[in-house]
Amino acid sequence: MNAPLWQSWDSEFVWHPYTQMQLVPDAVPVERAEGSYLYLSDGRKIFDGISSWWVTLHGHAQPRIAAAIGAQAAKMEQVIFAGFTHEPAATLAKRLVERMPRGLAKLFLSDNGSTAVEVALKMSLQYWQLRGETRTTFLALEDAYHGDTFGAMAASARSAFTAAFDPLLFDVVRLPFPAPPFAGNDYSDAEHRFLNDLGRHCKLSKPAAFIFEPLLLGAGGMRMWRAEVLREAVTIAREAGVLTIADEVLTGFGRTGTFVACEQAGVSPDMMTLSKGITGGFLPLGATLCTREIFDAFLSDDRKKTFFHGHSYTGNPISCAAAVASLDVFDSEPVFDRIAAIGAVHSERMRPLAAKLGYASRMLGTVAVMEPNNAEGYLSMNSLDLSKRALAEGLLIRPLGDTIYFLPPYSTRAEDMHMAYDVLERLLTTTSF
Ligand code: PMP
């Protein structure tokens, strides 16, 4: 089949995200998507091994969500959300709060993961001001990734992603990553260091908040940390009067095996950020949840004490209707059985494959990761080469440097997942990576 005419328009007019346009000048033309597969203009079928940048949840073009979007678009596409409201937003707020760890009581909407983080950072700073305290710094993890806007970049690790902007990013106190022990249940040195530093800085630096990706650091290398350490960290911060912000933009909506990752640690943070899978992966939407105590601190007769934040599309009814439809899927279909079935194939295939190659491996919920011991960072050319060869074999992966991972949609059946492992195994055992 010939390349479609619009492909040449893309080459001529479009600048793609996170793409060195000289090395990867031609984007792959996708005609349609269904379940766990993308269908390309040349007729090929590609397994989406990374849920299209971690957003696709129940599957591409999931019919119930598609129908809800169509119905809402025909009824009301958008309305100002300052002083006005509508059923999809109110329903989403009620149903999300009901599913969240107890204590998270109010929902503030924005457009994407980065804006959900910006809202949390700004809300926590203003909260302390309203309480009459000056707190102007944050605690954040080494290797963290919280987004691409300036506040979210500041909270993220300094890396190739932020290098061009570093001089303008505000400082945060960086805590060492709590890498788990290789074996056994005792705390590792890294976990001790993390908890000690956290305790020290909560007192010394008087931070506004500690922001973290619970259990799974995404773009920072799909690194995993333990629920018991998370539980202890939240306790330490809370006892020191420091707010906690759980960034569940990636981990929310079942990715790690529970509805949100915080559940596994039995913790309820003061704030939580959500995006990506919130609409089932159909439309952009960001959400920041907070406690009633934080919300109440902003209540005043003085208009200067307003939380001055909002985006043109805040609370977009179509995005909210998609999110409600995705919650309906959670309520009426065996979503967690699907998640467990994907995890079972990961356990069966990822560890033996990694062992065969002499790689390290780790798993959590629907996410499986492996990397060589001498893994190179994000800019490793190996990742481009492997992605290209995988695509030629019908598999979409996007390694983070030498770190290879699967994070598939929940529509993925065991046979799809096995096929993806067969391809990966063939690629990695026939060529050195
Ligand atoms: N937080 C985390 C944990 C993320 O993984 C991401 C995106 N990868 C973001 C925030 C930013 O989300 P977005 O890309 O929607 O701005």
Side-chain angles (χ1 to χ4, degrees), residues 88-100:
T91 308
L92 175 62
K94 174 178 184 290
R95 289 183 51 188
L96 261 188
V97 165
E98 283 171 358
R99 282 197 94 116
M100 285 299 145

Side-chain angles (χ1 to χ4, degrees), residues 54 112-114 145-147 213 247 249-250 276:
W54 319 342
N112 56 67
S114 302
Y145 177 82
H146 296 291
E213 297 159 85
D247 179 354
V249 166
L250 163 61
K276 290 198 186 281

Side-chain angles (χ1 to χ4, degrees), residues 207-223:
F210 167 40
I211 181 168
F212 52 87
E213 297 159 85
L215 306 186
L216 174 68
L217 272 63
M222 291 290 165
R223 303 189 75 182

